[in-house]
Amino acid sequence: SLKRVNFAEKIFTHFNREDLQYIQLISELAKRKRTRVYLVGGVVRDLILGFPNYDLDLVVEGDAIEFASFVAQKLEAKLVTYQPFGTASLFVGERKRRIDFASARQEFYAYPGAPPQVEHSNLRRDLFRRDFTINAMAISIYPDDWGELFDFFGGFKDLQKKLIRVLHPLSFVEDPARAIRAVRFEKKYGFQIEPFTMSLLKQTVREGLLAKIKPDRLKEEIQLILRLPGFYSYLQRLYQLDMFPYLFPGCVWKSDYDILYPRLERLIQEEASTERLDFFLLKMTPLLSDIQFDSLEAFVERLHLSKRFYSQVKTYLGRRTVLERILQEKTSPPSRVFEVCSEIPLEFLYFTLAKFHDQDLARERIRNYLTKWRFVKPELTGSDLKQLGIPQGPIYAKILRELQKARIDNLVYSREEEIALAIKLWERMKASDQ
Ligand code: CTP
């Protein structure tokens, strides 16, 4: 039988005031409709653990679409329904707060006073199709038993024992992406994957079932990992569990990443966070810098990444040798460093910064590029060149670029010097045309 544990108090501290108001309103409406409504899944897990979790996932014992429509009316919320799944989402208030409703269909009516297991067989069935016991609990928000925990599979005990445990042996077969989720929860909460679950996970990997995860789904799961602090330790764990061939074709985990990745993460937090960057690419740069070029296409396809992503990696791999040589050669003038850096995707420059962390010259040069050189502008503009009588055309871009480089090298200091240089460049270009 169910041990009655109540989280009424915790509901009040977990949610912010606005969300709490929504929950209380939904609770009243549930009573009016005689419809039982529960918080479920990750938000229950995190509420019990005292972790932040912004989800509002509700399960309705009955028709979720019907109930959500009723709530939408009363709250003047926008309603989006997904008929085939019997689910609905509300977008409430000025901030369009999202609240998700799913149906645990009431297929028969339990007799009054029936034991809770029978009475709540639909809720139980809904929870049974979930991934892990710690994610398969519900907390009632129905007024009569507000705050009561519904834990049919020992999730609460597993939370206390810090265990990730599947509900049944076919869990990973039903959804192989759960193998990645297991790693995410394991690391994020400092839990252990329970031995039988681990043996099922390893079997899933051995049998190649991870290949069945659809690219978009896979990308989502990886993105969830990449957003977490210490994201690289999750990647390392995925590698250790032999999942890389199915997730990141052509990539391996190298021991230098143990030093490189923490540096990269620090850079991302301290410096790169204000840039407009592809953070997926940025966080993958170490792996990609060591990828076999033949595998790049497979990598991009596996994770349904863009053409742009592909070409950025390709550019880097093609230019890396030159970049690293120029960065380290004592005689390279700043403008030469500028030129080669401007060809490299910024994500890979941040990677290179992490890689050359201990090499003062190279590191300072990248920093100069990132913070100064790339923003240097010549004083002259196109209209100045026009006034000098230089005929308009593609040479404008070339001249302006040369002026920028001269500025970076401190070869010109004033407008007059720029004008003199522009004319000299123009004459030289004319001469080489003839
Ligand atoms: N779920 C599942 N199997 C999956 C994905 C999700 O059973 N492959 C269930 C779990 O009950 C999970 C809930 O759906 O708790 C919500 O999923 P999601 O929002 O992806 O994860 P959370 O558990 O909420 O965790 P987090 O918010 O940390 O991602």
Side-chain angles (χ1 to χ4, degrees):
S1 74
L2 285 173
K3 200 171 111 204
R4 302 215 159 203
V5 190
N6 196 288
F7 288 93
E9 291 305 312
K10 276 222 171 158
I11 296 179
F12 290 106
T13 52
H14 177 86
F15 295 101
N16 63 40
R17 225 178 42 195
E18 198 182 330
D19 285 351
L20 194 56
Q21 269 174 1
Y22 294 140
I23 294 171
Q24 285 172 320
L25 277 166
I26 293 167
S27 174
E28 283 167 28
L29 297 174
K31 178 81 180 176
R32 238 202 275 174
K33 285 279 174 194
R34 300 270 177 273
T35 301
R36 303 198 145 258
V37 181
Y38 306 83
L39 288 161
V40 282
V43 63
V44 171
R45 174 197 68 220
D46 288 336
L47 183 148
I48 297 173
L49 286 173
F51 264 63
N53 187 314
Y54 194 64
D55 291 344
L56 277 179
D57 290 327
L58 300 175
V59 157
V60 173
E61 272 189 308
D63 187 334
I65 293 179
E66 195 186 304
F67 182 69
S69 312
F70 176 63
V71 176
Q73 247 174 36
K74 298 287 172 194
L75 268 64
E76 291 177 19
K78 184 176 161 208
L79 174 77
V80 180
T81 64
Y82 311 92
Q83 286 291 349
F85 303 104
T87 62
S89 300
L90 286 194
F91 298 87
V92 199
E94 269 174 40
R95 280 189 262 180
K96 301 270 164 269
R97 175 63 164 119
R98 180 184 178 136
I99 307 175
D100 290 316
F101 294 83
S103 308
R105 259 171 225 288
Q106 194 81 48
E107 277 145 21
F108 60 90
Y109 293 94
Y111 54 92
Q117 292 94 321
V118 176
E119 197 183 323
H120 300 284
S121 64
N122 293 293
L123 175 65
R124 188 183 196 282
R125 204 175 310 139
D126 178 277
L127 295 172
F128 187 63
R129 34 168 208 87
R130 291 168 185 265
D131 52 2
F132 307 112
T133 59
I134 59 167
N135 291 339
M137 292 182 279
I139 290 178
S140 172
I141 61 163
Y142 194 74
D144 296 5
D145 55 8
W146 167 275
E148 188 170 327
L149 179 70
F150 287 78
D151 172 21
F152 301 97
F153 314 108
F156 187 62
K157 198 179 72 210
D158 285 340
L159 271 188
Q160 290 173 320
K161 289 163 70 178
K162 297 174 176 274
L163 291 177
I164 315 287
R165 186 198 307 271
V166 288
L167 282 87
H168 57 81
L170 289 179
S171 189
F172 292 120
V173 178
E174 276 171 13
D175 180 3
R178 289 173 173 172
I180 305 169
R181 294 171 61 83
V183 167
R184 176 155 60 89
F185 296 128
E186 173 197 52
K187 285 256 158 221
K188 182 175 172 191
Y189 297 106
F191 280 24
Q192 278 183 354
I193 299 172
E194 168 276 327
F196 180 60
T197 300
M198 183 56 101
S199 72
L200 294 170
L201 186 153
K202 286 186 169 159
Q203 192 183 342
T204 306
V205 175
R206 264 200 316 275
E207 290 175 358
L209 294 183
L210 298 195
K212 292 191 181 181
I213 307 170
K214 302 258 185 333
D216 287 318
R217 182 72 210 291
L218 176 59
K219 188 162 63 185
E220 270 171 41
E221 285 297 340
I222 300 301
Q223 260 160 346
L224 288 174
I225 283 176
L226 296 185
R227 285 192 203 116
L228 297 169
F231 62 93
Y232 49 87
S233 65
Y234 298 71
L235 300 180
Q236 183 177 22
R237 180 70 165 142
L238 294 172
Y239 177 73
Q240 190 195 22
L241 291 168
D242 301 321
M243 297 193 204
F244 263 33
Y246 307 100
L247 316 182
F248 311 121
C251 295
V252 295
W253 187 271
K254 296 202 168 161
S255 57
D256 15 325
Y257 298 166
D258 298 344
I259 293 170
L260 193 94
Y261 255 121
R263 281 183 191 155
L264 182 64
E265 186 177 45
R266 215 169 313 125
L267 276 176
I268 292 171
Q269 284 163 353
E270 291 170 6
E271 297 171 47
S273 56
T274 54
E275 295 244 32
R276 286 235 256 100
L277 298 170
D278 176 345
F279 283 90
F280 193 97
L281 174 58
L282 179 56
K283 292 177 177 184
M284 286 290 162
T285 51
L287 298 182
L288 289 164
S289 75
D290 290 318
I291 198 174
Q292 290 298 313
F293 184 70
D294 310 350
S295 303
L296 180 57
E297 228 164 296
F299 183 101
V300 165
E301 211 170 292
R302 183 67 188 104
L303 288 148
H304 198 201
L305 299 162
S306 62
K307 289 228 167 65
R308 182 181 150 81
F309 187 101
Y310 175 84
S311 69
Q312 286 185 311
V313 181
K314 190 179 162 190
T315 302
Y316 169 73
L317 295 177
R319 300 295 295 161
R320 167 175 47 194
T321 315
V322 177
L323 170 72
E324 297 189 354
R325 181 168 53 73
I326 299 290
L327 284 174
Q328 291 172 292
E329 246 169 33
K330 291 203 173 57
T331 53
S332 315
S335 63
R336 183 76 188 102
V337 176
F338 162 77
E339 270 186 314
V340 63
C341 284
S342 59
E343 291 172 11
I344 308 286
L346 278 177
E347 290 81 358
F348 280 105
L349 281 184
Y350 279 103
F351 162 73
T352 309
L353 192 55
K355 179 171 171 180
F356 287 157
H357 183 269
D358 291 331
Q359 298 191 40
D360 295 347
L361 181 63
R363 194 192 59 222
E364 284 319 304
R365 282 170 161 168
I366 303 172
R367 280 206 186 289
N368 277 326
Y369 173 79
L370 288 171
T371 60
K372 287 191 289 204
W373 297 339
R374 66 176 159 144
F375 304 117
V376 168
K377 294 260 178 310
E379 237 182 280
L380 299 191
T381 64
S383 63
D384 293 316
L385 299 185
K386 204 170 153 195
Q387 280 189 357
L388 291 174
I390 303 174
Q392 272 172 296
I395 63 164
Y396 272 38
K398 280 190 204 160
I399 292 174
L400 292 172
R401 177 104 169 156
E402 288 304 315
L403 293 179
Q404 181 184 10
K405 282 160 59 183
R407 280 273 174 191
I408 289 168
D409 284 338
N410 289 327
L411 297 175
V412 292
Y413 288 95
S414 65
R415 189 180 165 83
E416 285 65 39
E417 285 173 332
E418 276 194 18
I419 290 174
L421 180 57
I423 290 170
K424 206 164 91 188
L425 287 166
W426 174 38
E427 275 164 359
R428 204 189 295 157
M429 287 174 192
K430 261 197 310 196
S432 69
D433 271 357
Q434 282 155 11

